[in-house]
């Protein structure tokens, strides 16, 4: 279990780059006398590198593959931290993610966990959960993809011979997957209650899979307004080039019930070298917005959540995990970032990621499985 110590006097560190405004420090610090003074959560000449402590397993059940979740939330009724996370059904591996993903609730005694599975929240097919609280309506929200309405059937056979969170070979599922990139919301007035599905209203001129609707990363303002980063996957470009084949879009709605609309008629980052997925979004102690991504582990920042700057694809974070023997393992595969902001200090305090270790664990017959790791943000 991690220990958390707040050092208020250590919120900034001195960097050596020349700057004119705080934007030159990626809004991760302040520009003073042409020098970036980085918040404790960041370091580097332009405050472009996330300061991370060695990671620990946050949710890694021995009998299942899990693949991304959070951020965690405290349940005052049960006096437990709640972590909503993807888990592959029937003890299978990530190879079956497109039609055997579920969302489960895991409970822990600290925001970093470790968490233990408590119950199933959204059945197959449901993937990529992102928890957020709507304070204006007192509603707990889980944004995700897949409608949670595809149980096993003759036309949708599930593997039944998996074990330990791995998929044996050879691959047997050859039909078109039931994965749907349209986002959905499950909502509840209580963390311990049942969740009800709400279909997100697509923009009037959009069709499923043709707009940036995948990988929803929502932010809810105090008045209930939704601002959401999403991904659009372009399979044609992925196969035939040129890059990018994954772009990030910005969507908004007056409430989580919609209707949803584009903020722009183009991606957020109109740059041919931009190619990212798995956005996460958070607001820092100054009210500025930040986003992290999977492919390059890149960072983006914004003063208002509308107009964004991108770090050019430079890696902002690297994930590690401490093994039981005390050794430190670098995770070459590090996906589905989620940042937990301490509600008291308003500081980014924990980074959650999904990993397969050295590579994405989608192969069958090789004993690969996915797990979740958490790293404390900051130097103290």
């Amino acid at each position: 279990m991690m220990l958390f110590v707040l050092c208020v006097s250590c919120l900034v560190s001195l960097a050596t780059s020349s700057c004119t405004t705080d934007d030159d420090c990626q809004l991760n610090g302040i520009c003073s006398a042409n020098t970036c003074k980085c918040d404790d959560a960041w370091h580097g000449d332009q405050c472009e590198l996330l300061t991370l402590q060695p990671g620990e397993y946050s949710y890694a059940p021995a009998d299942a593959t899990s693949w991304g979740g959070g951020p965690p939330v405290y349940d005052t009724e049960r006096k437990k931290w709640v972590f909503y996370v993807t888990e592959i059904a029937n003890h299978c591996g990530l190879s079956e993610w497109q039609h055997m993903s579920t969302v489960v609730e895991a409970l822990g005694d600290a925001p970093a966990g470790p968490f233990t599975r408590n119950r199933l929240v959204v059945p197959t097919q449901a993937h990529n959960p992102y928890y957020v609280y709507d304070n204006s309506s007192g509603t707990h929200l889980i944004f995700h993809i897949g409608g949670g309405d595809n149980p096993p059937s003759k036309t949708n056979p599930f593997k039944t011979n998996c074990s330990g969170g791995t998929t044996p070979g050879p691959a047997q599922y050859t039909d078109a997957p039931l994965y749907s990139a349209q986002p959905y919301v499950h909502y509840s007035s209580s963390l311990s209650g049942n969740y009800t599905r709400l279909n997100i209203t697509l923009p009037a001129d959009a069709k499923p899979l043709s707009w940036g609707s995948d990988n929803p990363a929502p932010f809810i303002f105090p008045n209930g307004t939704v601002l959401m980063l999403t991904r659009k996957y372009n399979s044609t470009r992925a196969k035939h080039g040129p890059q990018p084949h994954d772009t990030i879009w910005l969507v908004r709605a007056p409430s989580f019930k919609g209707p949803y609309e584009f903020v722009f008629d183009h991606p957020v980052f109109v740059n041919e070298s931009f190619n990212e997925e798995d956005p996460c979004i958070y607001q820092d102690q100054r009210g500025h917005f930040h986003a992290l991504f999977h492919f390059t582990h890149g960072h983006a920042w914004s003063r208002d959540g509308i107009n964004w700057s991108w770090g050019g694809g430079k890696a902002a974070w690297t994930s590690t995990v401490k093994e039981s023997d005390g050794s430190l393992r670098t995770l070459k595969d590090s996906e589905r970032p989620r940042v937990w902001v301490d509600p008291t200090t308003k500081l980014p305090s924990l980074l959650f990621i999904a990993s397969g270790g050295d590579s994405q664990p989608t192969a069958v017959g090789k004993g690969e499985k996915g797990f979740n790791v958490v790293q404390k943000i900051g130097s103290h």
Side-chain angles (χ1 to χ4, degrees):
M1 184 179 298
M2 290 186 171
L3 297 177
F4 301 94
V5 179
L6 176 62
C7 181
V8 177
S9 63
C10 303
L11 292 183
V12 295
S13 61
L14 189 65
T16 59
S17 74
S18 176
C19 60
T20 303
T21 71
D22 293 350
D23 286 272
D24 296 328
C25 309
Q26 300 194 5
L27 298 182
N28 290 324
I30 57 175
C31 179
S32 177
N34 300 117
T35 300
C36 285
K37 295 182 178 180
C38 303
D39 296 341
D40 186 57
W42 296 86
H43 65 282
D45 289 346
Q46 296 178 312
C47 307
E48 76 278 16
L49 302 172
L50 197 58
T51 303
L52 294 172
Q53 299 299 312
E56 297 181 3
Y57 291 102
S58 58
Y59 185 70
D63 62 346
T65 271
S66 56
W67 197 249
V73 58
Y74 186 68
D75 186 349
T76 56
E77 295 179 0
R78 291 179 287 180
K79 294 181 171 45
K80 292 285 185 179
W81 287 90
V82 180
F83 188 65
Y84 295 111
V85 58
T86 294
E87 187 172 280
I88 310 301
N90 290 4
H91 311 288
C92 287
L94 194 63
S95 60
E96 312 305 302
W97 76 269
Q98 290 184 310
H99 70 126
M100 292 180 64
S101 291
T102 68
V103 177
V104 303
E105 176 195 77
L107 303 179
D109 294 323
F115 298 96
T116 302
R117 189 186 195 277
N118 183 55
R119 60 169 177 150
L120 176 70
V121 176
V122 187
T124 55
Q125 164 65 16
H127 194 76
N128 195 24
Y130 202 122
Y131 170 83
V132 66
Y133 181 66
D134 178 15
N135 190 66
S136 69
S137 63
T139 307
H140 301 279
L141 308 172
I142 305 173
F143 285 73
H144 59 89
I145 52 177
D149 54 0
N150 297 115
S153 65
K154 289 183 179 181
T155 58
N156 181 33
F158 284 13
K159 276 184 174 290
T160 58
N161 60 339
C162 300
S163 63
T166 66
T167 307
Q172 74 177 37
Y173 188 74
T174 57
D175 294 340
L178 290 173
Y179 158 66
S180 168
Q182 176 178 335
Y184 295 84
V185 180
H186 271 77
Y187 64 94
S188 175
S189 60
S190 170
L191 287 167
S192 60
N194 294 326
Y195 277 79
T196 301
R197 190 182 85 170
L198 174 71
N199 297 350
I200 286 183
T201 304
L202 294 173
D205 59 346
K207 296 179 181 179
L209 297 177
S210 69
W211 68 294
S213 59
D214 202 352
N215 297 158
F219 179 86
I220 310 293
F221 289 90
N223 66 356
T225 300
V226 179
L227 188 68
M228 185 165 66
L229 294 173
T230 64
R231 179 193 75 154
K232 177 180 179 180
Y233 175 65
N234 188 328
S235 60
T236 301
R237 286 198 172 189
K239 293 178 181 178
H240 305 294
Q243 298 294 332
H245 60 76
D246 286 66
T247 54
I248 301 299
W249 294 68
L250 192 61
V251 178
R252 64 188 171 195
S255 79
F256 74 89
K257 295 181 179 180
Y260 289 79
E261 64 178 9
F262 293 114
V263 176
F264 308 114
D265 61 359
H266 54 76
V268 176
F269 307 99
V270 184
N271 186 311
E272 279 300 309
S273 65
F274 185 92
N275 184 53
E276 291 285 12
E277 68 161 6
D278 292 357
C280 82
I281 185 172
Y282 72 90
Q283 189 177 40
D284 67 18
Q285 71 277 17
R286 298 185 186 93
H288 299 147
F289 292 86
H290 300 268
L292 300 178
F293 308 95
H294 161 213
F295 286 146
T296 67
H297 293 183
H299 169 249
W301 62 97
S302 171
R303 289 181 176 271
D304 57 9
I306 303 297
N307 301 289
W308 289 82
S309 299
W310 180 48
K314 181 178 180 179
W317 49 283
T318 300
S319 287
T320 60
V321 66
K322 212 170 3 178
E323 301 290 8
S324 57
D325 61 3
S327 62
L328 191 64
R329 178 187 182 189
T330 298
L331 301 173
K332 297 178 181 178
D333 178 45
S334 182
E335 311 184 28
R336 294 286 193 267
R338 300 280 191 275
V339 172
W340 176 73
V341 175
D342 188 310
T344 301
T345 65
K346 309 299 182 184
L347 298 174
S349 299
L350 296 173
L351 173 67
F352 291 86
I353 61 99
S355 178
D358 289 336
S359 62
Q360 190 180 74
T362 53
V364 300
K366 295 185 178 180
E368 296 182 343
K369 66 176 297 185
F371 51 86
N372 291 269
V373 168
V374 61
Q375 291 178 265
K376 184 180 181 294
I377 297 174
S379 61
H380 299 84

